[in-house]
Amino acid sequence: MAVAFIVTILPASLCAGGCGGNDDARELKELLQQRAGAVDTLRYTCFTEDGENLYREEFELSFPDRYRYRMYENVDGSPRLVSAAEQRGDGFFRARASYNDTGALQSTESETTLRVPPLRNGGKYLGLYHMIGNADYFQSLISLMDGGSLELAAKEGIDGNSAWRLDSAQGLTPRMRLWLDMGTGLPLRKELYLGADRKVVFRFQGYEEGFSYPELPFPPDLKGLFGQDGITSQSASSDGGSLQIDLAGASFTLGFEPLVPSLENFQPAGAWWRDPSSQAIGADGRPVRFPEGFRELYLLYRDGTRQVEIRESPYDPEFGYYTMGLGTLTGAYLSQQEVFGEEAGGAIYTAALDCQEMHLVAGDLEITVTGDLSRNDFAALAAQLIRLASGH
């Protein structure tokens, strides 16, 4: 751990005078497009340096809806597991540990949630901000480059690898630099400049693709996870309340007629409905008050490892509510928004580093879309939803 956190000195640029011309940008975007949807399983480790705080994060992903995550803090040169998360389809698990002043494990707690729609990342869209390698990741980079938020600055050598260096556009805060492997498009290093005296450095190592994802017991045992029992140990379980539904006649259950689009190359993979009123707790700890008869519908589409998620609910201009982590990209460090034209109903498309989402109102429904689509695919889908809502 101690060696792994030493900051690597970057060599001089391999492209004298800088890069970033049209040919280089086109080459990079072609690589990202080719990689979108080409990764089925991925392992890697991210080392993070934030001042005196040092962390190691381990990821094991099977797209679209399985992953394992472990986060360690550095204590006197040794890693100590502090949190973990896992997803297996419609089940989500998270755990954390606390230690006393002597470093002994003091307590552990965990929560397992079942019957959630099988969204990527367990429904916590920004909970794992390094969710890289799926088509959404590659397409978000293309959108940020096309929109001018990320600019190709140079070809550089870093940690013995040839890399593209991307800089956030001038004037955007916080300032960001990102190095992408020239062969895979996966990140090698990311730097966030959060103030005059604070720089956070992320270094990505040990990439492995195409392995057989191990199916281990779910949820994992806390003692096996942390290696010992804490003085106190709490395990909780909850019900996400999502039920599969046959779209034929679904309007009776939902209270609205769902809009069911078609997506080129994607096949429907199921539909789930949910009454969130019994489970929703606001930031103040009190239940969220929903409009009478409020329901949510989740439509899932898949093309191999690619996945698209569509959430529909009744539109109420006096009420805004997003569940399962959707509608959270405004909290991302680097994001850009675009309003599509009249044909697409003025849908709002947001691209953030590693992920994208779209919001629109079509007829009487408020709709949120996330997934492994390109920017143009999102626009075409919005236009289709508007046509469906108008009966065309």
Side-chain angles (χ1 to χ4, degrees):
M1 278 288 288
V3 174
F5 279 116
I6 295 175
V7 178
T8 305
I9 298 175
L10 299 181
S13 172
L14 299 179
C15 186
C19 297
N22 290 336
D23 290 342
D24 290 325
R26 186 182 307 112
E27 181 182 350
L28 173 55
K29 284 188 278 190
E30 287 176 354
L31 169 66
L32 297 174
Q33 187 65 53
Q34 291 168 3
R35 293 282 287 163
V39 182
D40 55 359
T41 56
L42 182 66
R43 286 191 185 112
Y44 62 96
T45 301
C46 178
F47 296 96
T48 303
E49 177 183 347
D50 183 3
E52 296 181 354
N53 298 316
L54 306 175
Y55 305 98
R56 186 179 85 192
E57 295 169 285
E58 297 176 350
F59 298 81
E60 191 172 56
L61 313 170
S62 178
F63 299 115
D65 65 354
R66 282 166 167 75
Y67 73 80
R68 294 187 183 91
Y69 167 80
R70 304 288 184 264
M71 181 176 181
Y72 301 81
E73 60 184 3
N74 185 43
V75 180
D76 298 327
S78 299
R80 183 169 70 186
L81 182 64
V82 292
S83 66
E86 295 189 18
Q87 178 187 355
R88 188 168 70 181
D90 62 357
F92 179 71
F93 167 84
R94 71 176 76 196
R96 62 181 179 180
S98 61
Y99 300 83
N100 60 26
D101 293 338
T102 66
L105 182 64
Q106 184 169 344
S107 65
T108 60
E109 58 180 296
S110 69
E111 180 181 7
T112 302
T113 304
L114 301 176
R115 293 205 306 172
V116 297
L119 309 182
R120 296 158 303 151
N121 205 5
K124 305 298 181 183
Y125 207 39
L126 290 184
L128 296 176
Y129 53 92
H130 298 307
M131 183 63 86
I132 62 176
N134 58 359
D136 197 15
Y137 158 78
F138 292 106
Q139 294 291 356
S140 72
L141 290 172
I142 294 173
S143 289
L144 290 171
M145 292 178 66
D146 287 342
S149 295
L150 273 180
E151 299 175 347
L152 180 57
K155 295 177 181 177
E156 293 183 342
I158 183 170
D159 296 337
N161 300 288
S162 298
W164 305 98
R165 196 191 88 207
L166 297 170
D167 294 350
S168 57
Q170 186 174 1
L172 294 182
T173 57
R175 189 163 62 90
M176 179 185 294
R177 278 188 171 179
L178 179 67
W179 286 261
L180 303 179
D181 185 276
M182 290 188 68
T184 67
L186 295 172
L188 298 171
R189 181 184 179 103
K190 180 169 67 175
E191 295 179 354
L192 283 177
Y193 299 84
L194 299 176
D197 300 321
R198 186 182 178 196
K199 180 175 76 171
V200 183
V201 178
F202 307 88
R203 292 188 296 110
F204 304 85
Q205 298 179 359
Y207 284 116
E208 180 183 355
E209 295 184 37
F211 60 91
S212 179
Y213 185 80
E215 294 293 345
L216 303 177
F218 180 90
D221 176 67
L222 279 179
K223 182 177 180 180
L225 189 62
F226 294 99
Q228 55 183 311
D229 283 323
I231 297 175
T232 61
S233 181
Q234 296 181 345
S235 297
S237 60
S238 59
D239 185 349
S242 296
L243 301 172
Q244 286 194 283
I245 188 171
D246 186 345
L247 291 175
S251 58
F252 179 79
T253 301
L254 297 171
F256 60 84
E257 188 68 37
L259 301 180
V260 185
S262 60
L263 296 175
E264 185 177 2
N265 298 322
F266 284 83
Q267 297 298 321
W272 287 257
W273 77 278
R274 181 173 182 263
D275 175 4
S277 60
S278 60
Q279 293 113 358
I281 304 297
D284 58 0
R286 290 182 289 184
V288 177
R289 186 170 296 176
F290 288 84
E292 183 69 26
F294 187 86
R295 299 290 186 270
E296 295 176 310
L297 173 68
Y298 290 88
L299 302 175
L300 208 66
Y301 296 78
R302 283 184 178 164
D303 172 23
T305 61
R306 295 197 301 160
Q307 180 166 295
V308 174
E309 303 121 7
I310 302 175
R311 172 192 175 272
E312 300 180 358
S313 61
Y315 173 62
D316 184 338
E318 303 299 324
F319 180 78
Y321 179 74
Y322 302 102
T323 58
M324 301 300 170
L326 301 177
T328 58
L329 289 196
T330 53
Y333 277 119
L334 178 63
S335 65
Q336 66 184 23
Q337 281 194 342
E338 176 184 357
V339 179
F340 292 150
E342 181 178 352
E343 183 183 51
I348 300 175
Y349 165 74
T350 305
L353 194 62
D354 305 346
C355 47
Q356 312 162 92
E357 69 185 29
M358 180 177 69
H359 296 286
L360 72 153
V361 175
D364 297 328
L365 297 182
E366 184 173 9
I367 300 175
T368 303
V369 183
T370 57
D372 296 318
L373 298 173
S374 68
R375 178 263 180 208
N376 290 340
D377 291 335
F378 275 102
L381 176 56
Q384 184 184 169
L385 288 166
I386 294 298
R387 291 194 298 270
L388 288 172
S390 65
H392 295 154

